[in-house]
Amino acid sequence: MLLLFGGLHLVIAMPLHGLLLRRAPRREDTQRAQKQQEHAFLREDGVTAREALRQRPFWMLTVSFAIAMLGNTVLFTHQIAHLIHRGYDPVLAATLAGGLGLASLPGRVGLNLLSERVSPRRLLGLCHVVQALGVVVLILAPSVPWLLVYVLLYGAAFGAISPLKASVVADYFGKKAYGTITALQGLPIALCNAAGPLLAGWLYDLLGRYDLAFWLCAGGFLLAGIGITLTPPARQWTPHAL
């Protein structure tokens, strides 16, 4: 199976990257863009990890990312059990969960193309709000067609999140310490990844259903979307802003 996946990457992914990825801009184009952004926050190569840690946007984005990822892991871990508990066939429950992957493809492509015209930060915030709406549909869905609405909403939004997050972090902090900054953000995100399914399972053992855990996830997605949307644009910050 791993050899198959590797072969698919070589045959499909690598040619697409070669055809679609843009080349680095020419020097004169870069200089023109720098003049247009002479009041922007970022230096040409970005900020250091130490400088990023001293900025409120870093913490606002990190907390928002962590809360949203907690909700994602809860949904991916417990959604099949939730649907079976509500009386749906296990095969149908697993099929709907697998459908999230297919539903993520249009969002992964379309919304990230749209990010060239609309702020990636605002699109990312909107995606988390759509996720919240999708979870509400999952909780209240009275029939399979409504579950399909959940799959389409949640899947399309989820597909766009990872590339949009990368764009947002790059827009705020540049490329100088991009890897280190994302790794620092990854620490609280990983903790939420681990804690979310455990807490949801504890609530299920306590209450005998997943509704409260999923309502909390919906609230978390909404909070994350608001937090990202309200994060001040990078150009308003100096390297030592708090």
Side-chain angles (χ1 to χ4, degrees):
M1 185 61 71
L2 290 176
L3 291 175
L4 174 62
F5 286 152
L8 290 174
H9 276 288
L10 288 174
V11 174
I12 299 175
M14 188 170 69
L16 287 175
H17 278 71
L19 290 172
L20 300 178
L21 284 182
R22 297 176 177 176
R23 295 183 179 274
R26 294 176 299 175
R27 182 177 181 84
E28 56 268 25
D29 293 337
T30 302
Q31 291 175 342
R32 188 180 304 112
Q34 289 173 357
K35 289 180 180 179
Q36 293 173 348
Q37 299 176 354
E38 60 183 353
H39 298 299
F41 158 68
L42 294 176
R43 297 190 297 270
E44 180 183 358
D45 55 353
V47 300
T48 66
R50 186 184 298 272
E51 290 170 337
L53 286 169
R54 296 209 298 262
Q55 297 167 30
R56 193 179 301 128
F58 172 87
W59 295 105
M60 291 181 68
L61 292 175
T62 300
V63 171
S64 298
F65 293 168
I67 293 173
M69 190 54 65
L70 185 150
N72 286 322
T73 54
V74 168
L75 265 295
F76 289 139
T77 303
H78 294 288
Q79 63 182 332
I80 294 178
H82 168 73
L83 292 173
I84 293 173
H85 180 264
R86 290 186 54 188
Y88 292 99
D89 182 76
V91 175
L92 174 63
T95 301
L96 290 170
L100 291 173
L102 291 176
S104 72
L105 296 178
R108 193 177 298 273
V109 176
L111 288 177
N112 283 283
L113 289 175
L114 184 61
S115 69
E116 297 181 0
R117 300 178 178 273
V118 181
S119 165
R121 174 176 57 87
R122 293 180 180 176
L123 283 177
L124 181 58
L126 176 62
C127 283
H128 288 313
V129 173
V130 173
Q131 282 187 296
L133 178 60
V135 176
V136 172
V137 173
L138 172 64
I139 298 169
L140 301 178
S143 61
V144 173
W146 281 102
L147 292 176
L148 293 176
V149 173
Y150 153 69
V151 170
L152 293 175
L153 288 174
Y154 188 90
F158 177 79
I161 284 173
S162 182
L164 286 176
K165 281 174 58 179
S167 296
V168 169
V169 174
D171 286 346
Y172 271 86
F173 307 112
K175 65 182 181 180
K176 183 174 186 178
Y178 178 87
T180 303
I181 291 170
T182 53
L184 291 172
Q185 290 181 320
L187 294 176
I189 291 174
L191 290 175
C192 288
N193 275 341
L198 294 176
L199 292 173
W202 175 75
L203 286 174
Y204 175 81
D205 291 339
L206 186 66
L207 303 174
R209 55 195 305 168
Y210 286 106
D211 288 27
L212 177 59
F214 285 4
W215 278 115
L216 291 173
C217 287
F221 286 129
L222 182 60
L223 182 63
I226 293 172
I228 292 169
T229 303
L230 294 182
T231 301
R235 62 177 177 272
Q236 295 184 7
W237 297 88
T238 59
H240 301 290
L242 292 175

